[in-house]
Amino acid sequence: MTERSPSLSAEQGGPAVLASALLRGVLAAGLGLGSIAVLVMVLWISSPASDSGPGEAVHTAAGLWLLAHGAELIRTDTLTGAPAPVGVVPLLLAAMPVWLVHRAVRDALEPDEGGWAPSPGAAFALVTGGYLLAGAPVALYARGASLSAEPLSLLFPSLLVVAGAAAAGVWTAAGRPVGPPPSWAPVRLHEAMARSRFVRRVEAAGRSAAAGVMVLLGGGALVVAVALVWHADPVQ
């Protein structure tokens, strides 16, 4: 009996890797939805005078999860009785699903040593497909609730948000390369892009921008936490 070659074993493990990429997308959606659901349930339990039951709290969590992807929610339970749109997406709420999709695609393209990795296109399609596969029942479940999503907003910008986060994960797994400019770009731009100093400056600027965004998000979370503690009595 001869031992199997590493290439043959890797090819046989290809379907399992592809299924794992699809599962990563499903898990990313589940983690994001579960985190928001836990937060909503904690607020519902701690509320001293809640007029709704646990089912309405779960519907609210589903609506907020869709809102985090840019979907426009329609609130039917208003004082005037007329439906009102909810289209403002909190940055902290949107950061979690974007990061989860980004990480799922990046991890799918970075297998263990000696393992088989899917192509960037396959990882993008499978993770995005798994994420949308898990998100479709959530959108159906949120229909008819006090916070329901506008159907067109589920395609744009929600689908674009998921695809953009997945594309960013592919770019990160590839080492964040800065490709050549298009042919119609000025000659000076081509010369500048060819210089390693320019590339390093772009990468440093990108890291600084990412750090600045994280600081702003963290500062916003700290301000919200301090405000809730400071005004605990009115909130309760």
Side-chain angles (χ1 to χ4, degrees):
M1 297 293 292
T2 58
E3 296 182 356
R4 296 180 179 179
S5 63
S7 60
L8 181 59
S9 300
E11 291 178 358
Q12 291 179 348
V17 173
L18 296 178
S20 175
L22 182 67
L23 183 60
R24 288 179 187 274
V26 176
L27 290 178
L31 287 174
L33 178 61
S35 301
I36 295 178
V38 169
L39 178 61
V40 172
M41 293 303 294
V42 168
L43 294 176
W44 175 76
I45 293 173
S46 60
S47 178
S50 178
D51 297 333
S52 59
E56 186 64 26
V58 176
H59 277 95
T60 301
L64 291 177
W65 185 76
L66 296 174
L67 178 65
H69 297 79
E72 181 180 355
L73 300 183
I74 304 298
R75 183 182 178 185
T76 57
D77 186 12
T78 59
L79 295 177
T80 60
V86 181
V88 179
V89 182
L91 290 179
L92 287 176
L93 195 64
M96 179 176 296
V98 169
W99 178 76
L100 288 172
V101 176
H102 174 274
R103 182 177 179 180
V105 177
R106 184 198 64 188
D107 293 345
L109 291 172
E110 295 178 353
D112 297 333
E113 185 177 356
W116 184 81
S119 64
F124 173 86
L126 289 171
V127 173
T128 304
Y131 195 92
L132 297 178
L133 185 64
V138 179
L140 293 176
Y141 178 76
R143 293 183 60 184
S146 59
L147 286 176
S148 58
E150 184 71 21
L152 292 179
S153 66
L154 295 176
L155 299 177
F156 180 83
S158 298
L159 183 59
L160 183 62
V161 169
V162 176
V170 173
W171 182 61
T172 301
R176 300 185 181 91
V178 180
S183 58
W184 47 263
V187 178
R188 291 185 178 181
L189 181 59
H190 283 270
E191 295 176 352
M193 291 292 293
R195 300 172 184 172
S196 59
R197 180 181 300 178
F198 181 79
V199 175
R200 288 196 298 268
R201 288 180 178 178
V202 171
E203 293 178 351
R207 289 193 296 268
S208 300
V213 171
M214 295 304 297
V215 169
L216 289 176
L217 293 177
L222 181 61
V223 169
V224 171
V226 172
L228 290 176
V229 174
W230 187 265
H231 302 283
D233 293 336
V235 171
Q236 293 178 354

